[in-house]
Amino acid sequence: MGSLGGTLPKLVHGDCGYVLDDVPHLTDYLPDLHTHSNPLQNNPSYSVTKQYFVDDDDTVVQKAVQHKDGERGIHFRRQGPRQKVYFVPDEVKACIVTCGGLCPGLNTVIRELVCGLDYMYGVKHIVGIEGGYKGFYARNTINLTPKSVNHIHKRGGTILGTSRGGHITSKIVDSIQDRGINQVYIIGGDGTQKGASLIYEEIRRRGLKAIVAGIPKTIDNDIPIIDKSFGFDTAVEEAQRAINAAHVEAESAENGIGLVKLMGRHSGFIAMYASLANRDVDCCLIPESPFYLEGQGGLLEFIEKRLKDNGHMVIVIAEGIADTMDAIDPSGNKVLKDAGLWMAQRIKDHFAQPNKMNINLKYIDPTYMIRAIPSNASDNVYCTLLAQSAVHGAMAGFTGFTVGPVNGRFCYIPFRHITEKRNRVVITDRMWARLLSSTNQPSFMRPKVNTEVDQEEHSIDLLIEKTHMDEHPVGKIMANGY
């Protein structure tokens, strides 16, 4: 047994450097399980398809762009229905739980899990665990049917309720065992998926015939490996309303500044994509990109110049550019200072100095409005694919996995890949260059005035390239002038 993520990786090696990074299966520890014919072959919905079932040897490559002389690299198991399943519909008792913060699309995932289990496989016993992980041992459940979830995708939030923390592995698995649950669907972010991995390990240790499937959720798009997380498209689209309002306010006032704070604790994807989509943004600041405020080439100097040139400007920032406080939230994350209030005050203080222009600053924080809305059409389709992929995998006996698209193809991914690091904006990548060219903003790096500063900035540049800003708040350090 290893540490978190438990069992050692299942690596299948092939020719020319091919490596399948496989997910666990019930038969890994229950080798004598019986198989059954997949009921989808009699499902009229699937009668139109040329191929009912996915070939067991079908895989999805992790890196789409490869050199002609390079190895074939890491692959993941392709999602989809298998010819044989390890559950008959009448014996399945499934549960669904949502954990962590709100995100557009949660209700859609719940709906499609329920409808997928029922309509595709004939599963009738499905319960929802209320209030996150703690709901397992608080014994709060509701029965879920296609009829009861029929319209929930039109509502924001989650009908099951959610919470942070509350993860006690032994008590959760006790509840799963006592209730006779044999399929557990867990929707949540990296902390939730770590918990799902521990639940899988305990179920395996007890030798239970029960699968654990994760559906990765984060509005910030900071989950690695997968192309994007559900709710992200909706968040970027809804952020346009806040940016448009900020632009109207700024344009309508003398030396107007519209300041918008968007989600992004560790990763600035929403701020970057929303700024690219909007085209009215003059400056975008994210946690991955170092910046400083005072002096030549700093943010405040840029604001003065842009106001003199245009008479107004719009600034978009991600919440993660602010320092953390000493407090810890129930999920174990350090509590952030309010980046918007901090930035607004620094700008106001700067222009309050003698001989500075008068400004009109309007600060907009749409965070909780964006989190609470229903998912848009694009995310609704995406959530459907995630849910149905998870159901196919569970019925086929796969466990200890999360599901998501890699290079546009949905596949089953071991938990450890989702929990070992975060997806970050790479500021040496073309997408960040596109943002800089769209806003025409400078880099805000401190000018090189002596050898000591040269060495300091060179060290920071190396750190960025080496870690892609992984867990290191360089932007915050530079903002504070260190």
Side-chain angles (χ1 to χ4, degrees):
M1 299 292 287
S3 55
L4 182 64
T7 52
L8 296 174
K10 290 178 62 178
L11 302 179
V12 180
H13 295 268
D15 297 333
C16 303
Y18 169 95
V19 179
L20 169 62
D21 195 346
D22 208 357
V23 295
H25 194 274
L26 287 175
T27 54
D28 293 343
Y29 63 96
L30 297 172
D32 299 324
L33 290 178
H34 295 292
T35 60
H36 312 274
S37 296
N38 195 322
L40 273 180
Q41 62 190 352
N42 301 316
N43 190 312
S45 298
Y46 273 72
S47 63
V48 298
T49 62
K50 292 181 179 179
Q51 181 183 5
Y52 284 126
F53 306 117
V54 172
D55 192 294
D56 283 338
D57 291 330
D58 284 352
T59 59
V60 177
V61 67
Q62 180 179 355
K63 292 185 178 180
V65 179
Q66 299 189 28
H67 194 273
K68 66 182 180 67
D69 297 325
E71 294 186 344
R72 293 174 64 187
I74 299 294
H75 289 61
F76 299 111
R77 185 173 290 277
R78 182 185 174 192
Q79 73 81 28
R82 265 58 183 179
Q83 213 164 9
K84 297 294 183 181
V85 295
Y86 285 79
F87 297 91
V88 294
D90 289 343
E91 74 173 358
V92 174
K93 190 167 185 181
C95 76
I96 304 169
V97 63
T98 54
C99 304
L102 294 183
C103 176
L106 280 169
N107 277 334
T108 307
V109 175
I110 295 168
R111 181 191 188 277
E112 296 309 320
L113 284 172
V114 174
C115 293
L117 283 164
D118 190 310
Y119 296 156
M120 292 191 299
Y121 288 97
V123 173
K124 303 299 181 183
H125 303 292
I126 310 167
V127 297
I129 307 296
E130 293 187 300
Y133 275 137
K134 66 181 67 173
F136 276 102
Y137 45 87
R139 296 197 170 274
N140 299 327
T141 63
I142 57 174
N143 291 322
L144 299 174
T145 66
K147 183 176 181 179
S148 69
V149 300
N150 190 36
H151 299 293
I152 64 172
H153 62 290
K154 300 175 183 178
R155 296 161 47 186
T158 163
I159 63 164
L160 300 179
T162 186
S163 64
R164 298 186 184 275
H167 187 280
I168 304 175
T169 305
S170 60
K171 294 178 70 173
I172 291 172
V173 178
D174 285 344
S175 176
I176 291 169
Q177 191 170 4
D178 292 344
R179 299 169 192 258
I181 291 171
N182 50 24
Q183 292 189 8
V184 184
Y185 297 93
I186 300 174
I187 310 166
D190 58 344
T192 301
Q193 301 301 313
K194 288 177 184 176
S197 180
L198 294 173
I199 291 169
Y200 155 70
E201 289 296 333
E202 180 62 16
I203 285 175
R204 179 179 180 135
R205 188 188 69 79
R206 297 188 190 188
L208 305 179
K209 184 189 176 184
I211 67 92
V212 179
I215 292 95
K217 176 227 66 171
T218 170
I219 201 170
D220 295 343
N221 198 40
D222 61 1
I223 291 177
I225 303 295
I226 64 174
D227 296 343
K228 65 177 178 179
S229 53
F230 76 81
F232 175 70
D233 279 355
T234 304
V236 171
E237 183 178 304
E238 186 67 12
Q240 304 306 301
R241 297 177 60 187
I243 297 174
N244 288 338
H247 182 247
V248 170
E249 287 285 354
E251 197 175 34
S252 300
E254 182 181 5
N255 296 324
I257 300 174
L259 175 63
V260 180
K261 183 186 77 172
L262 298 175
M263 292 80 70
R265 270 188 73 88
H266 305 282
S267 305
F269 287 103
I270 292 178
M272 179 175 71
Y273 275 81
S275 297
L276 271 170
N278 189 271
R279 308 292 177 176
D280 286 329
V281 177
D282 298 275
C283 178
C284 175
L285 301 175
I286 61 174
E288 296 91 336
S289 181
F291 70 93
Y292 76 106
L293 294 173
E294 306 284 352
Q296 183 181 357
L299 175 64
L300 296 173
E301 180 188 73
F302 172 71
I303 293 173
E304 287 190 47
K305 183 177 185 304
R306 189 57 61 95
L307 289 176
K308 288 177 181 177
D309 291 344
N310 296 345
H312 65 275
M313 74 177 299
V314 175
I315 304 171
V316 172
I317 63 175
E319 62 180 326
I321 67 166
D323 287 324
T324 57
M325 298 188 290
D326 293 333
I328 302 292
D329 70 16
S331 295
N333 300 312
K334 289 185 176 180
V335 177
L336 294 173
K337 294 179 181 177
D338 191 308
L341 294 177
W342 168 76
M343 179 63 73
Q345 193 58 53
R346 292 300 299 269
I347 294 173
K348 289 177 180 178
D349 289 345
H350 175 78
F351 285 98
Q353 299 176 48
N355 302 320
K356 296 292 183 182
M357 66 180 73
N358 293 321
I359 63 167
N360 289 280
L361 188 147
K362 298 295 187 294
Y363 168 48
I364 298 175
D365 178 2
T367 300
Y368 292 105
M369 293 176 62
I370 292 175
R371 291 182 359 149
I373 65 172
S375 51
N376 64 10
S378 173
D379 272 323
N380 271 336
V381 173
Y382 181 29
C383 290
T384 300
L385 297 177
L386 285 171
Q388 292 190 1
S389 298
V391 169
H392 289 316
M395 293 299 293
F398 296 112
T399 183
F401 70 87
T402 193
V403 65
V406 176
N407 298 319
R409 293 284 187 175
F410 282 73
C411 54
Y412 301 128
I413 306 165
F415 276 134
R416 72 178 187 281
H417 285 297
I418 302 300
T419 60
E420 65 189 1
K421 64 179 181 179
R422 286 189 174 91
N423 189 28
R424 314 293 298 275
V425 174
V426 180
I427 61 172
T428 55
D429 187 64
R430 288 189 181 89
M431 188 56 75
W432 184 243
R434 294 182 182 110
L435 181 281
L436 294 179
S437 63
S438 175
T439 60
N440 196 29
Q441 70 187 62
S443 66
F444 303 121
M445 291 293 289
R446 186 176 297 281
K448 299 179 180 181
V449 294
N450 56 42
T451 303
E452 182 179 348
V453 172
D454 286 353
Q455 292 174 347
E456 177 187 355
E457 291 201 347
H458 179 64
S459 298
I460 291 174
D461 290 340
L462 289 178
L463 179 62
I464 295 169
E465 292 177 12
K466 182 179 179 182
T467 66
H468 293 167
M469 306 297 288
D470 190 22
E471 303 303 329
H472 193 91
V474 178
K476 303 164 194 174
I477 292 173
M478 295 296 288
N480 288 325
Y482 295 149

